[in-house]
Every structure is written in C-alpha cells, then in structure tokens.
Amino acid sequence: DGGITQSPKYLFRKEGQNVTLSCEQNLNHDAMYWYRQDPGQGLRLIYYSQIVNDFQKGDIAEGYSVSREKKESFPLTVTSAQKNPTAFYLCASANPRRGQNEKLFFGSGTQLSVL
Amino acid sequence: GESVGLHLPTLSVQEGDNSIINCAYSNSASDYFIWYKQESGKGPQFIIDIRSNMDKRQGQRVTVLLNKTVKHLSLQIAATQPGDSAVYFCAEIAASNTGKLIFGQGTTLQVKP
C-alpha cells in the first residue's frame, strides 16, 4: 500500500460514540488526506493537511475531526455528530514539489459500520 | 462548478481486446490528471498521470490521452487481462487548488474470459 498503513481494517461504531481511524505513513510525505467513499461512488474529501500542525476542511468535513501532530500520522475521528458514518474511509499522502501537484498514494482503507 | 465525470458506469470487454475508459472534466484550470485503479475492498492504486502541457502519455499497456479543447481524458488499456477488472477513477487537480484532487464517479471494467 505504498507505505501508508490504515487501521483497523473494519470498525464498528455504536450510536453516540466517537471513533478514531488511524493513518500512518513512512514515505516522508508532507501532505496527507482523508477521503470517504460510499458504495458505487467516487471519493469525497473530508480533511487534508499540507504540513504538520495545520489542516483544512474538505468538502464534507461536518461530523469529523483530525489532528496532525506528527508528520507521519493523520488520525481521523468520526464524531457522534456524523449521522451517516457508514462508509469506506481512505487515507492518502503526497509530496507536492515546487508548487506542483503530485500523485496521491492511498492506504488500504477502513470500513466503518454502525451497529 | 468543478466536476469530473465518466461517460459509462460499466464497461465489459473480452479478454485480449483493448479497453477505452473515458472521462470528462469541466474545470479548464485543471492542469494535472491521474487515473487510479481500485479493486474491491482496497485503496486506489496509481496507474498513470498526465500534465496539461502534454496530450499523450504511455505506460506499460496503458495510454492516457488528454484533449484540453473538449476537456476530455481517456485511459486505454491494451490487451485487457482478467486482472484488469476493477473500478477506474479519473481525478483532476488545478494548480491553484493544491492538494484537492477531484474524483469522478468511476467506471467498472469487467473482463470476460
């Protein structure tokens, strides 16, 4: 998976519970991203971080939170405010150089389901 | 607004034939495009990319064509194999929008033996 590790592979959330998805990369990439994928759909951006201690909301950030305390780690918390959390969550990283965009490397994903 | 779309949700081809997967985009400012392959239950895997200063790029058995005039991108797979069966996504990004890749809905490629 290109040096990006997501865990767990499967996660179940009870109503009203916050859960945290882990994403670690050893590619020394500056930028990290979280995407959500619903069945038969494309990927939608939740949050992204271009550098340590900084992150920005994506298109569907409501009900989610992130942190970027270390370069290699970008955990995603799905809060109880996210009323429809069941989806496949993908973490990615990239290393933009000289202002140019570069391809994203993806992890293997976490399938989150509601109990 | 920005959108990336694929012309067909499912493409079925015979093993050994060539496959062509199409993608339309609407943001004329997009300058970098990527094709990803996603197998069931896995993360997307990079196939090939192309920048807007090019109109064609070739990889191993794959070719990406970019037509900026009509904002159209295509992925050609030569001699399609059963292992090529997957969902294929095109994605675009504008230089002014660093880090925000916009994905299309995906085309499912089915390879018949």
Side-chain angles (χ1 to χ4, degrees):
Chain A
D1 293 312
I4 300 179
T5 302
Q6 288 187 241
S7 63
K9 179 70 174 174
Y10 301 96
L11 186 59
F12 297 91
R13 194 192 87 166
K14 295 179 181 178
E15 193 172 338
Q17 184 183 39
N18 292 353
V19 292
T20 298
L21 284 61
S22 171
C23 179
E24 303 279 329
Q25 54 100 359
N26 60 5
L27 300 168
N28 200 34
H29 284 172
D30 288 320
M32 296 187 74
Y33 310 82
W34 275 105
Y35 285 87
R36 170 180 171 141
Q37 186 175 31
D38 292 283
Q41 301 291 317
L43 281 66
R44 293 184 291 168
L45 183 63
I46 305 173
Y47 267 99
Y48 65 105
S49 169
Q50 301 282 67
I51 197 167
V52 176
N53 292 322
D54 187 44
F55 50 83
Q56 287 80 40
K57 293 182 179 180
D59 300 317
I60 55 166
E62 187 174 350
Y64 300 98
S65 66
V66 293
S67 63
R68 186 85 187 277
E69 297 176 2
K70 298 186 295 183
K71 186 175 185 178
E72 59 270 22
S73 179
F74 191 40
L76 173 74
T77 296
V78 184
T79 74
S80 57
Q82 172 50 245
K83 299 306 180 185
N84 185 26
T86 297
F88 191 51
Y89 290 86
L90 288 158
C91 179
S93 71
N95 206 26
R97 292 172 289 183
R98 289 175 288 167
Q100 281 194 320
N101 293 301
E102 295 293 337
K103 57 182 174 284
L104 272 61
F105 292 86
F106 284 87
S108 56
T110 293
Q111 175 63 50
L112 175 63
S113 302
V114 177
L115 288 176
Chain B
E2 298 177 352
S3 69
V4 178
L6 290 158
H7 293 307
L8 293 173
T10 302
L11 176 65
S12 185
V13 300
Q14 204 70 38
E15 180 179 358
D17 287 351
N18 297 334
S19 302
I20 300 176
I21 301 172
N22 295 304
C23 182
Y25 64 96
S26 61
N27 185 2
S28 57
S30 293
D31 63 352
Y32 181 52
F33 304 88
I34 309 173
W35 280 101
Y36 283 95
K37 172 186 179 183
Q38 187 179 25
E39 297 174 337
S40 182
K42 297 183 179 180
Q45 178 185 2
F46 171 85
I47 301 173
I48 193 167
D49 59 359
I50 189 168
R51 299 194 187 275
S52 60
N53 59 354
M54 302 172 68
D55 52 21
K56 180 180 180 179
R57 193 170 187 207
Q58 288 184 293
Q60 186 178 9
R61 278 202 309 120
V62 295
T63 301
V64 56
L65 298 177
L66 175 63
N67 185 332
K68 294 181 288 294
T69 302
V70 295
K71 300 195 197 77
H72 184 267
L73 190 71
S74 69
L75 177 70
Q76 300 178 3
I77 303 174
T80 311
Q81 302 169 359
D84 295 326
S85 294
V87 178
Y88 289 81
F89 292 97
C90 63
E92 64 169 321
I93 190 166
S96 61
N97 216 9
T98 302
K100 293 185 69 176
L101 215 60
I102 300 172
F103 284 83
Q105 295 298 309
T107 291
T108 299
L109 178 63
Q110 298 175 339
V111 182
K112 297 178 289 185

